[in-house]
Amino acid sequence: MSELISQCAGLPLALGLVTAHGTVRPDSPLALLAEGLREAAGRLDTLEADGLEGGLRAAFASSYLACPRRRPGRRPPTPGH
């Protein structure tokens, strides 16, 4: 469990998604989730909320769109691009 907390950098949103993953997939071992989070390049994919509306990308996009200081016509950055 401490590895999951560390890999989420203690961020409440990431920890909430880890909790959601465990709730939606109770038969899936947390060690498997931790393994998916070890690779930095795939963390966003791993933290997508299984079977739930949205996920980490949706939360970032929603926050970005709600930000009053964003530049008109500019889209939120896509991780890895």
Side-chain angles (χ1 to χ4, degrees), residues 8 46 48:
C8 291
T46 302
E48 287 299 308

Side-chain angles (χ1 to χ4, degrees), residues 18-61:
V18 165
T19 302
H21 180 91
T23 301
V24 172
R25 295 185 169 199
D27 295 331
S28 179
L30 290 178
L32 187 61
L33 180 60
E35 183 181 322
L37 291 173
R38 284 187 196 117
E39 291 294 322
R43 284 189 184 145
L44 286 178
D45 292 331
T46 302
L47 286 177
E48 287 299 308
D50 298 305
L52 299 175
E53 190 68 33
L56 195 57
R57 284 184 180 89
F60 285 151

